[in-house]
Amino acid sequence: MLSYRHAFHAGNHADVLKHAALSLLIANFRQKDKPFIYLDTHSGAGLYALQGEWAQKTGEYKNGIERLWQNQQKWPELKDYFQVLATHNPNGTLQHYTGSPELARSLLREQDKVVLMELHSSEVENLKNNLGFDKRVTIHQRNGLEGLIALLPPTPRRGLVLLDPAYEQVDEYKQVPDALEKALHRWSTGTYMVWYPLLAKGRDQSIPLLRRLQALACKNLLIAELAVESQQLEFGMHGSGVAIINAPWQFDEPLKALLPKLCEALKVNDYATWKLEWRIKD
Ligand SMILES: C[S@@+](CC[C@H](N)C(=O)[O-])C[C@H]1O[C@@H](n2cnc3c(N)ncnc32)[C@H](O)[C@@H]1O
């Protein structure tokens, strides 16, 4: 029952928050020459056509990456993110959006590795077509949460994981912390970034999810949230968050500078807001 296709949502405000944070995390890992590994449990296709039928149907990217793309000079802190996008949009018009696998692959170095997991058969085919040419990349068609545990501890031991489910099934709010508990047991020093949506009052599960993450045996937990409009009663995603387990030292600093800027650039109305908080601090 895999109905979710990320092409409808590629480049929206939630992708901007997630991919901006990911590019900053990777920059942090690149500060040392030592190799590192990037694991993506829910990879998607890796690359999306913004002029395609699906992206055009929702037009979500227009209130997301397109707002920043028009003023790239204002975002020196996101130069890595924009550099990767520019490679796929060489004539300056935003036509393609790079998902987390391609963003990470492009920012990693010769000595680093990428492991991508995706369950959907046609998405995994797209992913192989888009990224399979790179010998640093391994692609698995499998359940990413089970795969993560099976692959830990990784070689090299230094690295980061993105857990980015669509949360179409409410069970995923439980499966993610369950998997992280096992993952931390096998690889306590890994950095894990969990993306989650901020949904309408009747459906939001971010508070119980964060409560579970806070109970994990980890060194620290940093959360960054961005809401672009007010919370609705029944439907809609007004924002999203990333929870970073074992965040690098002082990783709140770049986010503290970024979040108010993103909030201003992506706001839909004056209820837009952001939050940055250490839930566990080492
Ligand atoms: C939100 S999208 C991923 C977007 C991607 N991480 C990015 O930032 O570009 C979620 C993806 O997870 C896939 N998926 C759903 N359940 C899965 C599972 N149990 N294991 C691996 N992939 C899964 C979906 O097919 C979908 O492509």
Side-chain angles (χ1 to χ4, degrees), residues 163-181:
L163 299 99
D164 183 24
Y167 299 96
E168 282 213 303
Q169 288 148 24
V170 85
D171 271 9
E172 288 176 295
Y173 290 100
K174 183 178 177 300
Q175 288 163 2
V176 168
D178 284 352
L180 279 165
E181 200 174 313

Side-chain angles (χ1 to χ4, degrees), residues 190-204:
T191 294
Y192 302 83
M193 182 163 91
V194 180
W195 178 86
Y196 57 92
L198 297 174
L199 299 176
K201 282 203 173 81
R203 297 174 52 225
D204 190 70

Side-chain angles (χ1 to χ4, degrees), residues 2 4-6 15 18-19 22 38 40-46 48 97-101 117-120 123 142-145 162 164-166 172 175 195:
L2 284 172
Y4 180 91
R5 300 303 288 266
H6 197 64
D15 261 8
K18 174 192 2 171
H19 296 147
L22 180 61
Y38 169 77
D40 202 323
T41 58
H42 296 71
S43 294
Y48 303 94
Y97 187 73
T98 46
S100 52
M117 288 169 271
E118 168 60 47
L119 196 52
H120 196 293
E123 284 302 69
R142 67 186 300 178
N143 179 316
L145 297 178
L162 174 66
D164 183 24
E172 288 176 295
Q175 288 163 2
W195 178 86

Side-chain angles (χ1 to χ4, degrees), residues 69 72 81-92:
W69 183 255
Q72 285 179 50
Y81 181 24
F82 282 111
Q83 211 170 59
V84 176
L85 279 167
T87 312
H88 289 277
N89 296 283
N91 70 9

Side-chain angles (χ1 to χ4, degrees), residues 58-190:
T58 61
E60 288 184 20
Y61 75 94
K62 292 178 186 161
N63 276 330
I65 189 60
E66 194 161 86
R67 289 197 186 184
L68 276 64
W69 183 255
Q70 288 158 0
N71 292 300
Q72 285 179 50
Q73 70 289 352
K74 287 194 180 163
W75 300 93
E77 62 280 67
L78 297 184
K79 67 174 182 349
D80 291 350
Y81 181 24
F82 282 111
Q83 211 170 59
V84 176
L85 279 167
T87 312
H88 289 277
N89 296 283
N91 70 9
T93 310
L94 194 58
Q95 289 180 316
H96 296 103
Y97 187 73
T98 46
S100 52
E102 177 57 8
L103 177 65
R105 187 199 68 80
S106 304
L107 296 176
L108 265 52
R109 305 150 308 173
E110 202 47 43
Q111 65 268 40
D112 304 324
K113 278 193 193 168
V114 183
V115 176
L116 306 173
M117 288 169 271
E118 168 60 47
L119 196 52
H120 196 293
S121 51
S122 46
E123 284 302 69
V124 90
E125 275 317 301
N126 293 334
L127 187 62
K128 285 179 182 165
N129 289 334
N130 290 328
L131 279 83
F133 68 91
D134 190 324
K135 66 175 176 9
R136 299 168 304 170
V137 176
T138 313
I139 299 173
H140 301 273
Q141 182 178 3
R142 67 186 300 178
N143 179 316
L145 297 178
E146 289 172 12
L148 174 67
I149 297 157
L151 292 168
L152 299 185
T155 308
R157 287 284 173 120
R158 194 172 165 251
L160 69 153
V161 183
L162 174 66
L163 299 99
D164 183 24
Y167 299 96
E168 282 213 303
Q169 288 148 24
V170 85
D171 271 9
E172 288 176 295
Y173 290 100
K174 183 178 177 300
Q175 288 163 2
V176 168
D178 284 352
L180 279 165
E181 200 174 313
K182 294 185 183 134
L184 280 161
H185 190 65
R186 286 174 171 249
W187 189 35
S188 61
T189 56

